[in-house]
Amino acid sequence: MHIRRARRADVEAIVAMLADDPLGAQRETPGDPSPYLRAFEAIDADANQLLVVAERDGEVAGTLQLTFIPGLSRRGATRALVEGVRVRSGLRGGGLGAHLMKWAVDEARRRGCALVQFTSDASRTRAHAFYERLGFEATHLGFKLML
């Protein structure tokens, strides 16, 4: 498996993975690529954003996005925020997600981040167990306001 920066040509495969679960099916519209392509252009142009794909046998098999957030708290620490972790449905359970998350943690360390954080929908109990197995702790309660 090879992890690399996502390219515009990967957007369709990434969106398909985002839409391929009960929550994503309600939020995503894979048949309309224009909002995703606009978002990709913004992500790709921002030095604090890193959208990657994991390739297996030349095909996109997984993805995640890392956002690097400089801050004043924790003595001026930079945080790495992980978003949109997905593995293609036929490949789940084979270690690819763990490999992606390990890569994200290593990249955050390489960039001098003090911590890696993310949110996970409360209904994703299997994902929570997965992240705990990787050493992450559920330390905070998250809040969102949909706009």
Side-chain angles (χ1 to χ4, degrees):
M1 183 186 53
H2 171 67
I3 297 175
R4 63 166 172 79
R5 183 187 246 349
R7 298 185 283 255
R8 193 174 205 276
D10 300 320
V11 171
E12 183 180 346
I14 293 168
V15 173
M17 285 186 289
L18 293 172
D20 186 23
D21 71 26
L23 292 174
Q26 297 171 29
R27 299 189 289 227
E28 308 303 340
T29 54
D32 180 9
S34 56
Y36 301 103
L37 293 172
R38 279 192 305 274
F40 173 80
E41 295 301 329
I43 292 164
D44 199 46
D46 185 339
N48 283 324
Q49 304 292 330
L50 180 58
L51 178 64
V52 299
V53 294
E55 283 185 325
R56 179 171 278 168
D57 299 325
E59 293 188 21
V60 173
T63 188
L64 65 73
Q65 181 177 340
L66 274 174
T67 299
F68 301 97
I69 308 168
L72 295 179
S73 67
R74 296 178 184 256
R75 300 177 45 93
T78 298
R79 298 165 187 249
L81 176 67
V82 180
E83 286 285 327
V85 179
R86 295 293 190 285
V87 171
R88 206 169 65 217
S89 61
L91 300 174
R92 292 178 191 147
L96 188 100
H99 188 79
L100 264 170
M101 289 300 292
K102 181 186 178 319
W103 181 91
V105 169
D106 289 345
E107 181 65 14
R109 274 195 189 102
R110 190 183 75 74
R111 292 193 185 209
C113 294
L115 61 94
V116 176
Q117 63 188 31
F118 58 90
T119 61
S120 180
D121 192 276
S123 68
R124 294 185 188 272
T125 55
R126 289 182 65 216
H128 303 163
F130 165 75
Y131 293 122
E132 288 171 353
R133 282 193 306 274
L134 296 179
F136 289 90
E137 296 178 49
T139 60
H140 289 69
L141 180 62
F143 296 88
K144 291 183 181 182
L145 175 65
M146 302 308 288
L147 304 177

